[in-house]
Amino acid sequence: MQVKKAIFLDKDGTLIPNIPYNVDPDKIHLESGVVEGLKLLVQQGFDLYVVTNQSGIAKGYFSEDDIFVVRDALKQLFEINGLPPFKAFYFCPHHPNGIVSRLACTCNCRKPMPGLLQMAAFDHQLSLTHSWMIGDILNDIEAGNRAGCKSVLINNGNETLWESGPYRTPYSIASDFLNAAESIVSHLTNEQHGYGNIGYSTAI
Ligand SMILES: [Mg+2]
Ligand SMILES: [Zn+2]
């Protein structure tokens, strides 16, 4: 059976602009390079999964239904841009300081923890070692690396703390989404030619 491999996509600041706690579908559009980058990745046989922290639910700022509206708006943007649909949309509704009591907890699915990726892998029989995480902050990188994926950071200014840690080194750092996708494709090409990632990795 062929290996099923995923690209795990952070949403805010990666696929769409980072507007904290926004659930207004009219404010959602794809960031530059996303359409071109996703097309490259789909050509390489990856399926797409969205993995997003939505602590605004635990904090009582919006409901799960509001997130489904966002998910559907994103789905529509993929469709009108000729992209295949993402296979699933996983979100963490929790936050330890939330006011919605059933969601006010420490969980294993809020990035930097890997729970959302592990859930996707379980539900869809994905090979995590063949999968990648793309995000705009090091918490995305940590979640991807903890899950056993490789992870690419888009350095668009959203990461400001650069807190280091054992899982917080990206495979590469990209200037935008297209550049992130190209870095993954280069890795695969080098691997096919037996070079590993020697001479390409721009990891810090
Ligand atoms: Mg983000
Ligand atoms: Zn969670």
Side-chain angles (χ1 to χ4, degrees), residues 10-14 18 136-137 140:
D10 170 56
K11 178 170 73 69
D12 302 311
T14 299
N18 188 39
D136 65 322
I137 58 172
D140 297 312

Side-chain angles (χ1 to χ4, degrees), residues 63-92:
S63 70
E64 297 191 356
D65 284 344
D66 293 322
I67 281 302
F68 297 140
V69 171
V70 170
R71 177 200 62 194
D72 292 347
L74 191 60
K75 203 184 261 184
Q76 210 176 356
L77 286 174
F78 273 48
E79 196 180 329
I80 60 179
N81 284 287
L83 293 164
F86 42 84
K87 294 277 180 196
F89 180 103
Y90 289 89
F91 64 96
C92 165

Side-chain angles (χ1 to χ4, degrees), residues 7-8 20 44 86 102 112 132 134 152 162-163 167 190 198:
I7 302 289
F8 295 110
Q44 297 290 327
F86 42 84
R102 73 187 164 90
W132 294 71
I134 302 178
V152 178
W162 298 96
E163 200 183 303
Y167 293 98
N190 289 342
I198 295 163

Side-chain angles (χ1 to χ4, degrees), residues 82-181:
L83 293 164
F86 42 84
K87 294 277 180 196
F89 180 103
Y90 289 89
F91 64 96
C92 165
H94 308 110
H95 195 276
N97 305 326
I99 59 158
V100 178
S101 58
R102 73 187 164 90
L103 302 174
C105 58
T106 302
C107 63
N108 188 48
C109 56
R110 179 171 167 76
K111 296 175 284 182
M113 297 309 283
L116 294 178
L117 288 72
Q118 290 167 337
M119 234 182 288
F122 180 80
D123 291 347
H124 300 270
Q125 291 89 50
L126 305 172
S127 166
L128 287 167
T129 54
H130 292 86
S131 298
W132 294 71
M133 173 80 213
I134 302 178
D136 65 322
I137 58 172
L138 290 178
N139 281 352
D140 297 312
I141 301 309
E142 180 168 346
N145 291 348
R146 278 185 184 276
C149 304
K150 292 186 182 65
S151 307
V152 178
L153 180 74
I154 300 174
N155 184 16
N156 56 9
N158 291 336
E159 177 58 69
T160 52
L161 302 173
W162 298 96
E163 200 183 303
S164 63
Y167 293 98
R168 297 175 73 83
T169 303
Y171 167 79
S172 65
I173 298 179
S175 53
D176 65 6
F177 194 96
L178 178 56
N179 188 221

